[in-house]
Amino acid sequence: FVPEYPGEWAGGLVQVNTKDIPSKNFFTIQIGTGFNTQVIGNEFFKDKGGKTDWLGLDDGTRALPSAYTTKARFDTMSRASQTAIGKSMRNAWSPQSTSAPLNASFQANGGFIGKVFGKKVGGIFGLNYTKSNRNLALVNRFNILEEAVDTFKVDYNYNDQKYQQDVQVGALGSVSLQLNSLNKISIKSILNINSSNSTTIRNGFDNTRNEDLRGDEFTFKQNIFFTTQLAGEHSIKSKIKLKWYGAFNILDGYIPDQRRVLYKRTANTNDPYTLLISGTLAQNTGSRIYQSLSDYIYTAGGDISYTIKNKHNIKAGYMLQIRDRLYDAKLFANYLINTSNTALISLPANQIFESQNFADADNQFRFGAIKGNTFRYMANTILNAGFIQMDDEFFNKLRIVYGLRVE
């Protein structure tokens, strides 16, 4: 930590420095591919997604239907109207079998230099894209110690096979205008999209229920980071420099339509599997979950520095940062009052939640929202910060930075 940077003790500080004005025009492009021996040539399962999944973005395929407006409005609906919304949602509860494609990567970078109204101007641009596929074998097991016999007993043991496609898209742009030898203004922007699209197939047993279990979970996680900054550097005198900046950041996380479905049968038998479903709202099976977390950050500040004999620097500055956060989770579930409806709960995953199986009746599926007072919150912070910093180079191998920061 140094005094001029924010004291974010709970996280890290990322600085992105770009070359303002290149010495000449340039452009490079790179294309690559690869494969994972655990994936290529083997069966690969995926969720039925949208047309822009390859970009790491959901195109609305997983969105809630238009009939759903707000939580408050949904909670005041009749049970039949709530079930009608669940009935209209897409039926995608069974993984699609395919073969994994090769991993792919693409990079392009370019820069230019020129003049505008006689002033020197230049810029740097970059684009990056990677897509990779993974197959993960996971074990989820819980053991308890039986003190009477001094041995461990397995409560449950699940073998999960997770098929995941990761997509990363990045773009960077920087343009600088050299007004003269003493003054420069620049604007920089960065966009990053990071997403994972996973399908997990579970097989195992639960001794607390004396049941074998199998099922699937579908999760699409979309994270977007965007920042843009306008900054200026001005040399008031040969030893005095003034810097100012203003920035806007967006951090947006989105998980649409995360779904879980489980089937059960009596342990160690060849009985047919039937749907594990509750007569009340529950998250473990038949659930659909939507989550979003958004941060909006506005920053402005500046500093002035004075250099003594090119060995010692005194710097002082101020920063204002306003951060708004909104978290929202919508938890829904299908439920069945008459869980002894064998004909219904014996249907396979690709048929069991079809629209004709929903109605406001005990022997068919109903749809509702799981409520909780922690599923939504808003937060706001306003940070004022000032600092004074000394940067002294005493010898070629000894440099000390010290000072004071108040937030």
Side-chain angles (χ1 to χ4, degrees):
F1 297 102
V2 294
E4 67 176 308
Y5 297 137
E8 292 278 3
W9 63 271
L13 179 66
V14 178
Q15 265 193 309
V16 179
N17 297 314
T18 62
K19 191 173 183 179
D20 291 327
I21 300 178
S23 57
K24 61 180 181 179
N25 297 340
F26 72 93
F27 179 75
T28 62
I29 189 170
Q30 179 179 327
I31 299 174
T33 188
F35 61 89
N36 184 330
T37 56
Q38 294 182 337
V39 176
I40 197 73
N42 298 321
E43 192 173 26
F44 193 84
F45 291 92
K46 66 177 185 178
D47 183 18
K48 184 179 180 180
K51 296 179 180 179
T52 57
D53 282 8
W54 68 277
L55 284 173
L57 298 171
D58 178 60
D59 63 355
T61 297
R62 301 172 178 85
L64 283 162
S66 58
Y68 181 92
T69 54
T70 64
K71 287 182 178 180
R73 170 62 180 151
F74 183 84
D75 291 342
T76 60
M77 287 181 171
S78 66
R79 194 169 58 191
S81 297
Q82 292 179 348
T83 300
I85 289 179
K87 179 178 180 178
S88 68
M89 298 179 74
R90 68 185 186 121
N91 178 31
W93 295 88
S94 182
Q96 293 184 322
S97 176
T98 183
S99 58
L102 292 171
N103 298 341
S105 65
F106 172 84
Q107 291 183 9
N109 302 282
F112 73 93
I113 183 173
K115 287 192 175 183
V116 175
F117 301 115
K119 307 297 183 182
K120 190 176 180 181
V121 64
I124 302 286
F125 298 92
L127 180 65
N128 178 72
Y129 175 84
T130 61
K131 183 175 69 172
S132 59
N133 305 284
R134 294 189 291 165
N135 183 355
L136 306 174
L138 308 173
V139 176
N140 187 343
R141 180 184 298 135
F142 184 74
N143 303 318
I144 60 172
L145 176 63
E146 293 186 323
E147 296 182 359
V149 293
D150 198 28
T151 58
F152 283 98
K153 173 186 175 183
V154 179
D155 253 19
Y156 60 78
N157 184 81
Y158 304 135
N159 295 306
D160 296 341
Q161 204 69 32
K162 187 174 184 179
Y163 303 86
Q164 181 167 309
Q165 184 172 89
D166 300 309
V167 173
Q168 292 183 338
V169 182
L172 178 148
S174 173
V175 176
S176 297
L177 176 64
Q178 189 86 43
L179 300 175
N180 51 47
S181 61
L182 300 177
N183 299 279
K184 180 178 65 177
I185 296 176
S186 62
I187 183 170
K188 301 176 183 180
S189 296
I190 297 174
L191 172 66
N192 185 68
I193 301 170
N194 189 329
S195 75
S196 63
N197 189 358
S198 64
T199 297
T200 303
I201 298 177
R202 168 167 289 183
N203 287 280
F205 60 85
D206 186 339
N207 282 331
T208 64
R209 305 167 58 95
N210 191 35
E211 291 176 340
D212 294 330
L213 295 173
R214 72 179 186 189
D216 309 302
E217 180 183 72
F218 309 91
T219 305
F220 183 87
K221 296 181 180 180
Q222 171 185 304
N223 297 293
I224 298 176
F225 168 73
F226 172 75
T227 181
T228 185
Q229 182 184 81
L230 179 66
E233 298 181 17
H234 310 278
S235 295
I236 301 174
K237 290 184 179 181
S238 60
K239 296 181 179 180
I240 301 176
K241 291 185 179 181
L242 172 67
K243 294 182 180 180
W244 57 266
Y245 58 88
F248 173 62
N249 300 336
I250 297 176
L251 300 169
D252 188 67
Y254 181 43
I255 304 177
D257 201 15
Q258 181 183 26
R259 306 178 305 286
R260 300 181 185 131
V261 60
L262 281 172
Y263 282 77
K264 62 180 176 66
R265 72 178 180 189
T266 302
N268 302 314
T269 69
N270 292 320
D271 294 346
Y273 279 94
T274 58
L275 180 70
L276 175 63
I277 194 72
S278 174
T280 59
L281 295 166
Q283 292 186 51
N284 61 336
T285 180
S287 61
R288 312 187 82 132
I289 300 173
Y290 295 76
Q291 295 184 72
S292 65
L293 176 63
S294 300
D295 282 347
Y296 302 91
I297 306 170
Y298 313 84
T299 307
D303 61 68
I304 188 168
S305 62
Y306 179 70
T307 302
I308 304 173
K309 297 181 180 181
N310 296 323
K311 292 286 186 177
H312 310 282
N313 182 272
I314 303 173
K315 182 185 289 187
Y318 167 78
M319 184 190 76
L320 169 65
Q321 184 181 88
I322 300 173
R323 176 179 299 197
D324 297 317
R325 167 173 286 189
L326 173 61
Y327 171 75
D328 185 47
K330 303 179 181 71
L331 282 67
F332 304 98
N334 303 314
Y335 63 103
L336 181 67
I337 300 299
N338 182 11
T339 56
S340 61
N341 185 351
T342 306
L344 180 59
I345 62 177
S346 298
L347 292 173
N350 63 339
Q351 299 177 18
I352 196 159
F353 293 125
E354 289 183 338
S355 59
Q356 64 266 24
N357 297 327
F358 285 83
D360 187 16
D362 289 353
N363 63 343
Q364 289 191 285
F365 293 115
R366 292 190 175 108
F367 179 79
I370 302 172
K371 299 178 183 179
N373 56 13
T374 61
F375 295 161
R376 179 182 175 89
Y377 73 83
M378 292 183 289
N380 172 268
T381 61
I382 299 176
L383 172 66
N384 287 276
F387 73 92
I388 183 168
Q389 175 178 292
M390 313 296 179
D391 187 346
D392 296 324
E393 184 178 343
F394 295 99
F395 309 104
N396 290 336
K397 296 183 179 181
L398 178 61
R399 177 187 173 194
I400 300 177
V401 179
Y402 57 99
L404 174 69
R405 183 179 185 89
V406 178
E407 297 190 352

